[in-house]
Amino acid sequence: MTLFQDTGIAKVPAIARHVKHFIKEEGGKLLIFAHHKEVLKRIEDECLVDGGCGYIKIDGSTLPKRRQNLVNKFQDDPKCRVALLGITAAGVALTL
């Protein structure tokens, strides 16, 4: 599992470049799925915290009652353009 996570972490710089380009140059909304919390955290830190657009994050630590509020924010708020999602937590039963 460590090697699997390290492989995900190694991809973060390329993901960050793509996300920054999307935020700056493209319209619309972007869904980003990742498996490991550390990968989600690094994507968040490298391109979303100070990235100039709103985002939501749903992972295993997100309370179930809060998830729908986050989904509503992503769907209804035009400034919220990125959803950072854990595959296990957001891969089933969410309509985005």
Side-chain angles (χ1 to χ4, degrees):
M1 277 313 251
T2 301
L3 185 57
F4 187 47
Q5 179 176 310
D6 291 346
T7 302
I9 291 169
K11 296 173 185 175
V12 170
I15 294 166
R17 284 190 304 275
H18 177 71
V19 171
K20 288 175 183 178
H21 172 79
F22 178 86
I23 290 168
K24 193 178 206 180
E25 304 293 332
E26 305 291 329
K29 298 197 178 223
L30 178 66
L31 303 175
I32 303 170
F33 286 92
H35 181 73
H36 295 282
K37 283 186 177 183
E38 182 62 28
V39 175
L40 291 169
K41 177 77 172 119
R42 289 188 186 209
I43 293 169
E44 181 179 29
D45 290 346
E46 289 191 26
C47 47
L48 297 175
V49 172
D50 295 323
C53 79
Y55 71 96
I56 63 163
K57 180 180 175 185
I58 298 174
D59 63 15
S61 66
T62 307
L63 297 174
K65 62 183 179 182
R66 179 152 162 65
R67 291 177 191 207
Q68 189 59 49
N69 291 336
L70 291 170
V71 169
N72 292 343
K73 177 181 178 180
F74 180 72
Q75 290 178 332
D76 298 336
D77 183 353
K79 293 180 183 176
C80 183
R81 296 184 52 216
V82 178
L84 186 57
L85 308 163
I87 289 174
T88 305
V92 176
L94 283 183
T95 302
L96 293 167

